Amino acid sequence: MYRNSHSVVYAIYCDDTPIGLLMQRDHRDDEGNQLCILDQFFIDKDFQGRGYGKAAMESWLANVKKDNRYAAAELCFITGDSVAEKLYESLGFVRKPQKDDGDELVMRYAL
Ligand SMILES: CC(C)(COP(=O)(O)OP(=O)(O)OC[C@H]1O[C@@H](n2cnc3c(N)ncnc32)[C@H](O)[C@@H]1OP(=O)(O)O)[C@@H](O)C(=O)NCCC(=O)NCCS
């Protein structure tokens, strides 16, 4: 599935140290919109809370915008992950409850 949906994996570095990972893939929704899905995203626990997650997301979002071929970026987080939810909200993502899947809650950033 990942190979067929133009998946891209980005390693997140602090100087020369790899401290996290971010993965995106393409997805065409039922209305025919091309979406960029953020699939995996984490920062090593020893490096959390130091601004790296936000900086990585800002940089990723800027790239997605520059790509200029997506109607929106979408991601999901697990119910109760308030750090992730607040981070995404602060970047302009809004909840899209119609697309929730159990405890996986969806957020969308229109482009
Ligand atoms: C979610 C995650 C990627 C955030 O990365 P991070 O580098 O820790 O986040 P940052 O340091 O950039 O902080 C982002 C915001 O969250 C806040 N924050 C970070 N850690 C926090 C904590 N433990 N408690 C409360 N707030 C916290 C920061 O204050 C910051 O808010 P601000 O922009 O208002 O200052 C990281 O915590 C993580 O990998 N968590 C485990 C995996 C996960 O949940 N991934 C997301 C899947 S959807």
Side-chain angles (χ1 to χ4, degrees), residues 38 41-44 47-55 75-78 81 83-84 86-88 90:
L38 178 76
F41 174 44
F42 69 85
I43 297 291
D44 182 305
F47 289 84
Q48 290 176 9
R50 298 202 224 161
Y52 294 117
K54 189 160 190 173
L75 53 79
C76 65
F77 65 96
I78 302 293
D81 188 350
V83 172
K86 283 199 184 117
L87 167 59
Y88 300 144
S90 77

PDB file of all heavy atoms in Angstrom, residues 38 41-44 47-55 75-78 81 83-84 86-88 90, ligand 1:
ATOM      1  N   LEU A  38      -0.513  12.351   6.849  1.00  0.00           N
ATOM      2  CA  LEU A  38       0.608  12.147   7.777  1.00  0.00           C
ATOM      3  C   LEU A  38       0.346  10.831   8.495  1.00  0.00           C
ATOM      4  O   LEU A  38      -0.653  10.683   9.189  1.00  0.00           O
ATOM      5  CB  LEU A  38       0.665  13.280   8.802  1.00  0.00           C
ATOM      6  CG  LEU A  38       1.765  13.148   9.856  1.00  0.00           C
ATOM      7  CD1 LEU A  38       3.117  13.508   9.282  1.00  0.00           C
ATOM      8  CD2 LEU A  38       1.471  13.995  11.072  1.00  0.00           C
ATOM      9  N   PHE A  41       4.456   9.703  13.045  1.00  0.00           N
ATOM     10  CA  PHE A  41       5.192  10.876  13.498  1.00  0.00           C
ATOM     11  C   PHE A  41       5.542  10.691  14.973  1.00  0.00           C
ATOM     12  O   PHE A  41       4.651  10.484  15.803  1.00  0.00           O
ATOM     13  CB  PHE A  41       4.328  12.125  13.318  1.00  0.00           C
ATOM     14  CG  PHE A  41       4.928  13.391  13.881  1.00  0.00           C
ATOM     15  CD1 PHE A  41       6.260  13.699  13.670  1.00  0.00           C
ATOM     16  CD2 PHE A  41       4.157  14.275  14.614  1.00  0.00           C
ATOM     17  CE1 PHE A  41       6.818  14.862  14.184  1.00  0.00           C
ATOM     18  CE2 PHE A  41       4.697  15.439  15.134  1.00  0.00           C
ATOM     19  CZ  PHE A  41       6.025  15.727  14.916  1.00  0.00           C
ATOM     20  N   PHE A  42       6.815  10.728  15.257  1.00  0.00           N
ATOM     21  CA  PHE A  42       7.205  10.689  16.668  1.00  0.00           C
ATOM     22  C   PHE A  42       8.565  11.354  16.850  1.00  0.00           C
ATOM     23  O   PHE A  42       9.356  11.465  15.910  1.00  0.00           O
ATOM     24  CB  PHE A  42       7.243   9.250  17.218  1.00  0.00           C
ATOM     25  CG  PHE A  42       8.363   8.415  16.643  1.00  0.00           C
ATOM     26  CD1 PHE A  42       9.643   8.457  17.200  1.00  0.00           C
ATOM     27  CD2 PHE A  42       8.142   7.610  15.549  1.00  0.00           C
ATOM     28  CE1 PHE A  42      10.682   7.699  16.667  1.00  0.00           C
ATOM     29  CE2 PHE A  42       9.174   6.837  15.004  1.00  0.00           C
ATOM     30  CZ  PHE A  42      10.444   6.887  15.570  1.00  0.00           C
ATOM     31  N   ILE A  43       8.775  11.798  18.071  1.00  0.00           N
ATOM     32  CA  ILE A  43      10.074  12.314  18.505  1.00  0.00           C
ATOM     33  C   ILE A  43      10.539  11.413  19.651  1.00  0.00           C
ATOM     34  O   ILE A  43       9.743  11.097  20.554  1.00  0.00           O
ATOM     35  CB  ILE A  43       9.945  13.775  19.013  1.00  0.00           C
ATOM     36  CG1 ILE A  43       9.488  14.723  17.886  1.00  0.00           C
ATOM     37  CG2 ILE A  43      11.260  14.269  19.632  1.00  0.00           C
ATOM     38  CD1 ILE A  43      10.490  14.962  16.774  1.00  0.00           C
ATOM     39  N   ASP A  44      11.794  10.993  19.613  1.00  0.00           N
ATOM     40  CA  ASP A  44      12.385  10.169  20.681  1.00  0.00           C
ATOM     41  C   ASP A  44      12.057  10.786  22.042  1.00  0.00           C
ATOM     42  O   ASP A  44      12.157  12.003  22.213  1.00  0.00           O
ATOM     43  CB  ASP A  44      13.907  10.147  20.447  1.00  0.00           C
ATOM     44  CG  ASP A  44      14.645   9.293  21.466  1.00  0.00           C
ATOM     45  OD1 ASP A  44      14.479   9.527  22.687  1.00  0.00           O
ATOM     46  OD2 ASP A  44      15.404   8.427  21.031  1.00  0.00           O
ATOM     47  N   PHE A  47      13.995  13.475  23.634  1.00  0.00           N
ATOM     48  CA  PHE A  47      14.073  14.773  22.953  1.00  0.00           C
ATOM     49  C   PHE A  47      12.717  15.475  22.902  1.00  0.00           C
ATOM     50  O   PHE A  47      12.591  16.539  22.311  1.00  0.00           O
ATOM     51  CB  PHE A  47      14.623  14.592  21.530  1.00  0.00           C
ATOM     52  CG  PHE A  47      16.086  14.241  21.498  1.00  0.00           C
ATOM     53  CD1 PHE A  47      16.490  12.925  21.641  1.00  0.00           C
ATOM     54  CD2 PHE A  47      17.050  15.226  21.367  1.00  0.00           C
ATOM     55  CE1 PHE A  47      17.836  12.586  21.627  1.00  0.00           C
ATOM     56  CE2 PHE A  47      18.402  14.915  21.355  1.00  0.00           C
ATOM     57  CZ  PHE A  47      18.798  13.580  21.486  1.00  0.00           C
ATOM     58  N   GLN A  48      11.703  14.852  23.519  1.00  0.00           N
ATOM     59  CA  GLN A  48      10.373  15.464  23.495  1.00  0.00           C
ATOM     60  C   GLN A  48      10.321  16.713  24.374  1.00  0.00           C
ATOM     61  O   GLN A  48      11.101  16.848  25.316  1.00  0.00           O
ATOM     62  CB  GLN A  48       9.318  14.449  23.968  1.00  0.00           C
ATOM     63  CG  GLN A  48       9.095  13.333  22.974  1.00  0.00           C
ATOM     64  CD  GLN A  48       8.119  12.268  23.465  1.00  0.00           C
ATOM     65  OE1 GLN A  48       7.458  12.430  24.490  1.00  0.00           O
ATOM     66  NE2 GLN A  48       8.033  11.180  22.722  1.00  0.00           N
ATOM     67  N   GLY A  49       9.388  17.600  24.046  1.00  0.00           N
ATOM     68  CA  GLY A  49       9.167  18.788  24.860  1.00  0.00           C
ATOM     69  C   GLY A  49      10.211  19.870  24.667  1.00  0.00           C
ATOM     70  O   GLY A  49      10.301  20.796  25.473  1.00  0.00           O
ATOM     71  N   ARG A  50      10.994  19.753  23.595  1.00  0.00           N
ATOM     72  CA  ARG A  50      12.054  20.753  23.362  1.00  0.00           C
ATOM     73  C   ARG A  50      11.837  21.524  22.060  1.00  0.00           C
ATOM     74  O   ARG A  50      12.750  22.183  21.562  1.00  0.00           O
ATOM     75  CB  ARG A  50      13.414  20.057  23.282  1.00  0.00           C
ATOM     76  CG  ARG A  50      13.809  19.346  24.549  1.00  0.00           C
ATOM     77  CD  ARG A  50      15.320  19.194  24.556  1.00  0.00           C
ATOM     78  NE  ARG A  50      15.752  17.879  24.972  1.00  0.00           N
ATOM     79  CZ  ARG A  50      16.964  17.390  24.706  1.00  0.00           C
ATOM     80  NH1 ARG A  50      17.821  18.093  23.983  1.00  0.00           N
ATOM     81  NH2 ARG A  50      17.307  16.206  25.130  1.00  0.00           N
ATOM     82  N   GLY A  51      10.643  21.376  21.484  1.00  0.00           N
ATOM     83  CA  GLY A  51      10.321  22.155  20.286  1.00  0.00           C
ATOM     84  C   GLY A  51      10.614  21.454  18.972  1.00  0.00           C
ATOM     85  O   GLY A  51      10.294  21.982  17.903  1.00  0.00           O
ATOM     86  N   TYR A  52      11.199  20.252  19.036  1.00  0.00           N
ATOM     87  CA  TYR A  52      11.557  19.578  17.781  1.00  0.00           C
ATOM     88  C   TYR A  52      10.324  19.109  17.001  1.00  0.00           C
ATOM     89  O   TYR A  52      10.288  19.177  15.774  1.00  0.00           O
ATOM     90  CB  TYR A  52      12.476  18.384  18.045  1.00  0.00           C
ATOM     91  CG  TYR A  52      13.825  18.779  18.594  1.00  0.00           C
ATOM     92  CD1 TYR A  52      14.224  18.380  19.856  1.00  0.00           C
ATOM     93  CD2 TYR A  52      14.694  19.565  17.833  1.00  0.00           C
ATOM     94  CE1 TYR A  52      15.458  18.754  20.364  1.00  0.00           C
ATOM     95  CE2 TYR A  52      15.923  19.935  18.338  1.00  0.00           C
ATOM     96  CZ  TYR A  52      16.301  19.533  19.600  1.00  0.00           C
ATOM     97  OH  TYR A  52      17.521  19.904  20.102  1.00  0.00           O
ATOM     98  N   GLY A  53       9.308  18.634  17.742  1.00  0.00           N
ATOM     99  CA  GLY A  53       8.098  18.149  17.071  1.00  0.00           C
ATOM    100  C   GLY A  53       7.420  19.268  16.306  1.00  0.00           C
ATOM    101  O   GLY A  53       7.046  19.104  15.140  1.00  0.00           O
ATOM    102  N   LYS A  54       7.290  20.410  16.942  1.00  0.00           N
ATOM    103  CA  LYS A  54       6.638  21.540  16.285  1.00  0.00           C
ATOM    104  C   LYS A  54       7.453  22.008  15.085  1.00  0.00           C
ATOM    105  O   LYS A  54       6.908  22.264  14.011  1.00  0.00           O
ATOM    106  CB  LYS A  54       6.433  22.685  17.279  1.00  0.00           C
ATOM    107  CG  LYS A  54       5.575  23.793  16.713  1.00  0.00           C
ATOM    108  CD  LYS A  54       4.988  24.652  17.791  1.00  0.00           C
ATOM    109  CE  LYS A  54       3.946  25.575  17.200  1.00  0.00           C
ATOM    110  NZ  LYS A  54       3.223  26.317  18.206  1.00  0.00           N
ATOM    111  N   ALA A  55       8.756  22.111  15.267  1.00  0.00           N
ATOM    112  CA  ALA A  55       9.620  22.562  14.164  1.00  0.00           C
ATOM    113  C   ALA A  55       9.530  21.583  12.989  1.00  0.00           C
ATOM    114  O   ALA A  55       9.461  21.999  11.819  1.00  0.00           O
ATOM    115  CB  ALA A  55      11.063  22.676  14.653  1.00  0.00           C
ATOM    116  N   LEU A  75      -4.443  13.924   9.183  1.00  0.00           N
ATOM    117  CA  LEU A  75      -3.707  13.070  10.115  1.00  0.00           C
ATOM    118  C   LEU A  75      -4.686  12.567  11.153  1.00  0.00           C
ATOM    119  O   LEU A  75      -5.806  13.051  11.254  1.00  0.00           O
ATOM    120  CB  LEU A  75      -2.578  13.869  10.773  1.00  0.00           C
ATOM    121  CG  LEU A  75      -2.936  15.197  11.442  1.00  0.00           C
ATOM    122  CD1 LEU A  75      -3.541  14.968  12.814  1.00  0.00           C
ATOM    123  CD2 LEU A  75      -1.699  16.070  11.568  1.00  0.00           C
ATOM    124  N   CYS A  76      -4.258  11.589  11.926  1.00  0.00           N
ATOM    125  CA  CYS A  76      -5.095  11.203  13.054  1.00  0.00           C
ATOM    126  C   CYS A  76      -4.227  11.021  14.290  1.00  0.00           C
ATOM    127  O   CYS A  76      -3.009  10.844  14.199  1.00  0.00           O
ATOM    128  CB  CYS A  76      -5.937   9.974  12.754  1.00  0.00           C
ATOM    129  SG  CYS A  76      -5.007   8.500  12.474  1.00  0.00           S
ATOM    130  N   PHE A  77      -4.883  11.134  15.414  1.00  0.00           N
ATOM    131  CA  PHE A  77      -4.211  10.921  16.691  1.00  0.00           C
ATOM    132  C   PHE A  77      -5.146  10.093  17.563  1.00  0.00           C
ATOM    133  O   PHE A  77      -6.348  10.012  17.310  1.00  0.00           O
ATOM    134  CB  PHE A  77      -3.861  12.261  17.371  1.00  0.00           C
ATOM    135  CG  PHE A  77      -5.065  13.072  17.763  1.00  0.00           C
ATOM    136  CD1 PHE A  77      -5.571  13.002  19.062  1.00  0.00           C
ATOM    137  CD2 PHE A  77      -5.719  13.870  16.842  1.00  0.00           C
ATOM    138  CE1 PHE A  77      -6.693  13.732  19.431  1.00  0.00           C
ATOM    139  CE2 PHE A  77      -6.848  14.599  17.197  1.00  0.00           C
ATOM    140  CZ  PHE A  77      -7.332  14.533  18.488  1.00  0.00           C
ATOM    141  N   ILE A  78      -4.563   9.471  18.568  1.00  0.00           N
ATOM    142  CA  ILE A  78      -5.345   8.602  19.448  1.00  0.00           C
ATOM    143  C   ILE A  78      -6.028   9.443  20.534  1.00  0.00           C
ATOM    144  O   ILE A  78      -5.400  10.338  21.112  1.00  0.00           O
ATOM    145  CB  ILE A  78      -4.433   7.537  20.111  1.00  0.00           C
ATOM    146  CG1 ILE A  78      -3.726   6.697  19.038  1.00  0.00           C
ATOM    147  CG2 ILE A  78      -5.227   6.644  21.063  1.00  0.00           C
ATOM    148  CD1 ILE A  78      -4.627   5.811  18.227  1.00  0.00           C
ATOM    149  N   ASP A  81      -4.481  11.807  23.438  1.00  0.00           N
ATOM    150  CA  ASP A  81      -3.115  12.303  23.192  1.00  0.00           C
ATOM    151  C   ASP A  81      -3.183  13.824  23.061  1.00  0.00           C
ATOM    152  O   ASP A  81      -3.147  14.378  21.968  1.00  0.00           O
ATOM    153  CB  ASP A  81      -2.534  11.659  21.926  1.00  0.00           C
ATOM    154  CG  ASP A  81      -1.051  11.980  21.742  1.00  0.00           C
ATOM    155  OD1 ASP A  81      -0.522  12.844  22.475  1.00  0.00           O
ATOM    156  OD2 ASP A  81      -0.420  11.377  20.851  1.00  0.00           O
ATOM    157  N   VAL A  83      -1.156  16.191  23.890  1.00  0.00           N
ATOM    158  CA  VAL A  83       0.030  16.915  23.393  1.00  0.00           C
ATOM    159  C   VAL A  83      -0.036  17.000  21.872  1.00  0.00           C
ATOM    160  O   VAL A  83       0.123  18.075  21.280  1.00  0.00           O
ATOM    161  CB  VAL A  83       1.344  16.242  23.842  1.00  0.00           C
ATOM    162  CG1 VAL A  83       2.539  16.877  23.183  1.00  0.00           C
ATOM    163  CG2 VAL A  83       1.484  16.314  25.361  1.00  0.00           C
ATOM    164  N   ALA A  84      -0.304  15.825  21.237  1.00  0.00           N
ATOM    165  CA  ALA A  84      -0.391  15.811  19.772  1.00  0.00           C
ATOM    166  C   ALA A  84      -1.550  16.684  19.302  1.00  0.00           C
ATOM    167  O   ALA A  84      -1.393  17.501  18.384  1.00  0.00           O
ATOM    168  CB  ALA A  84      -0.569  14.373  19.281  1.00  0.00           C
ATOM    169  N   LYS A  86      -3.017  19.288  20.674  1.00  0.00           N
ATOM    170  CA  LYS A  86      -2.736  20.730  20.820  1.00  0.00           C
ATOM    171  C   LYS A  86      -1.700  21.193  19.807  1.00  0.00           C
ATOM    172  O   LYS A  86      -1.785  22.294  19.258  1.00  0.00           O
ATOM    173  CB  LYS A  86      -2.267  21.024  22.240  1.00  0.00           C
ATOM    174  CG  LYS A  86      -3.416  21.035  23.221  1.00  0.00           C
ATOM    175  CD  LYS A  86      -3.026  21.779  24.499  1.00  0.00           C
ATOM    176  CE  LYS A  86      -4.156  21.691  25.520  1.00  0.00           C
ATOM    177  NZ  LYS A  86      -3.773  20.980  26.739  1.00  0.00           N
ATOM    178  N   LEU A  87      -0.703  20.336  19.587  1.00  0.00           N
ATOM    179  CA  LEU A  87       0.331  20.688  18.606  1.00  0.00           C
ATOM    180  C   LEU A  87      -0.313  20.890  17.231  1.00  0.00           C
ATOM    181  O   LEU A  87      -0.070  21.906  16.565  1.00  0.00           O
ATOM    182  CB  LEU A  87       1.392  19.583  18.559  1.00  0.00           C
ATOM    183  CG  LEU A  87       2.387  19.604  17.405  1.00  0.00           C
ATOM    184  CD1 LEU A  87       3.177  20.916  17.381  1.00  0.00           C
ATOM    185  CD2 LEU A  87       3.365  18.434  17.504  1.00  0.00           C
ATOM    186  N   TYR A  88      -1.150  19.935  16.813  1.00  0.00           N
ATOM    187  CA  TYR A  88      -1.764  20.031  15.486  1.00  0.00           C
ATOM    188  C   TYR A  88      -2.699  21.242  15.405  1.00  0.00           C
ATOM    189  O   TYR A  88      -2.730  21.946  14.394  1.00  0.00           O
ATOM    190  CB  TYR A  88      -2.511  18.739  15.156  1.00  0.00           C
ATOM    191  CG  TYR A  88      -1.625  17.501  15.152  1.00  0.00           C
ATOM    192  CD1 TYR A  88      -2.096  16.269  15.603  1.00  0.00           C
ATOM    193  CD2 TYR A  88      -0.308  17.562  14.717  1.00  0.00           C
ATOM    194  CE1 TYR A  88      -1.284  15.140  15.608  1.00  0.00           C
ATOM    195  CE2 TYR A  88       0.505  16.438  14.718  1.00  0.00           C
ATOM    196  CZ  TYR A  88       0.018  15.233  15.159  1.00  0.00           C
ATOM    197  OH  TYR A  88       0.828  14.126  15.160  1.00  0.00           O
ATOM    198  N   SER A  90      -2.407  24.004  17.029  1.00  0.00           N
ATOM    199  CA  SER A  90      -1.609  25.235  16.989  1.00  0.00           C
ATOM    200  C   SER A  90      -1.077  25.509  15.586  1.00  0.00           C
ATOM    201  O   SER A  90      -0.736  26.641  15.250  1.00  0.00           O
ATOM    202  CB  SER A  90      -0.451  25.165  17.995  1.00  0.00           C
ATOM    203  OG  SER A  90       0.600  24.356  17.492  1.00  0.00           O
TER     204      SER A  90
HETATM  205  C1  LIG B   1       3.571  14.397  19.892  1.00  0.00           C
HETATM  206  C2  LIG B   1       5.069  14.603  19.705  1.00  0.00           C
HETATM  207  C3  LIG B   1       5.457  14.265  18.283  1.00  0.00           C
HETATM  208  C4  LIG B   1       5.371  16.103  19.981  1.00  0.00           C
HETATM  209  O1  LIG B   1       6.766  16.333  19.780  1.00  0.00           O
HETATM  210  P1  LIG B   1       7.616  17.218  20.812  1.00  0.00           P
HETATM  211  O2  LIG B   1       8.940  17.480  20.213  1.00  0.00           O
HETATM  212  O3  LIG B   1       7.573  16.576  22.143  1.00  0.00           O
HETATM  213  O4  LIG B   1       6.731  18.562  20.845  1.00  0.00           O
HETATM  214  P2  LIG B   1       7.271  20.052  21.033  1.00  0.00           P
HETATM  215  O5  LIG B   1       8.370  20.087  22.040  1.00  0.00           O
HETATM  216  O6  LIG B   1       7.538  20.658  19.705  1.00  0.00           O
HETATM  217  O7  LIG B   1       6.003  20.733  21.694  1.00  0.00           O
HETATM  218  C5  LIG B   1       4.827  20.990  20.982  1.00  0.00           C
HETATM  219  C6  LIG B   1       3.819  21.589  21.925  1.00  0.00           C
HETATM  220  O8  LIG B   1       3.410  20.598  22.881  1.00  0.00           O
HETATM  221  C7  LIG B   1       3.697  21.034  24.204  1.00  0.00           C
HETATM  222  N1  LIG B   1       4.200  19.874  24.924  1.00  0.00           N
HETATM  223  C8  LIG B   1       5.221  19.059  24.573  1.00  0.00           C
HETATM  224  N2  LIG B   1       5.353  18.061  25.453  1.00  0.00           N
HETATM  225  C9  LIG B   1       4.405  18.265  26.397  1.00  0.00           C
HETATM  226  C10 LIG B   1       4.024  17.574  27.585  1.00  0.00           C
HETATM  227  N3  LIG B   1       4.651  16.467  27.975  1.00  0.00           N
HETATM  228  N4  LIG B   1       2.998  18.066  28.309  1.00  0.00           N
HETATM  229  C11 LIG B   1       2.344  19.167  27.926  1.00  0.00           C
HETATM  230  N5  LIG B   1       2.652  19.885  26.802  1.00  0.00           N
HETATM  231  C12 LIG B   1       3.672  19.421  26.060  1.00  0.00           C
HETATM  232  C13 LIG B   1       4.773  22.088  24.060  1.00  0.00           C
HETATM  233  O9  LIG B   1       4.743  22.998  25.131  1.00  0.00           O
HETATM  234  C14 LIG B   1       4.391  22.731  22.755  1.00  0.00           C
HETATM  235  O10 LIG B   1       3.346  23.655  22.957  1.00  0.00           O
HETATM  236  P3  LIG B   1       3.511  25.200  22.492  1.00  0.00           P
HETATM  237  O11 LIG B   1       3.699  25.168  20.999  1.00  0.00           O
HETATM  238  O12 LIG B   1       2.225  25.814  22.935  1.00  0.00           O
HETATM  239  O13 LIG B   1       4.719  25.675  23.212  1.00  0.00           O
HETATM  240  C15 LIG B   1       5.895  13.752  20.702  1.00  0.00           C
HETATM  241  O14 LIG B   1       5.517  14.064  22.011  1.00  0.00           O
HETATM  242  C16 LIG B   1       5.766  12.253  20.482  1.00  0.00           C
HETATM  243  O15 LIG B   1       6.513  11.685  19.687  1.00  0.00           O
HETATM  244  N6  LIG B   1       4.845  11.615  21.204  1.00  0.00           N
HETATM  245  C17 LIG B   1       4.678  10.148  21.099  1.00  0.00           C
HETATM  246  C18 LIG B   1       4.158   9.699  19.742  1.00  0.00           C
HETATM  247  C19 LIG B   1       2.949  10.494  19.323  1.00  0.00           C
HETATM  248  O16 LIG B   1       2.038  10.742  20.108  1.00  0.00           O
HETATM  249  N7  LIG B   1       2.951  10.887  18.045  1.00  0.00           N
HETATM  250  C20 LIG B   1       1.839  11.583  17.474  1.00  0.00           C
HETATM  251  C21 LIG B   1       0.985  10.573  16.802  1.00  0.00           C
HETATM  252  S1  LIG B   1      -0.434  11.339  16.134  1.00  0.00           S
END
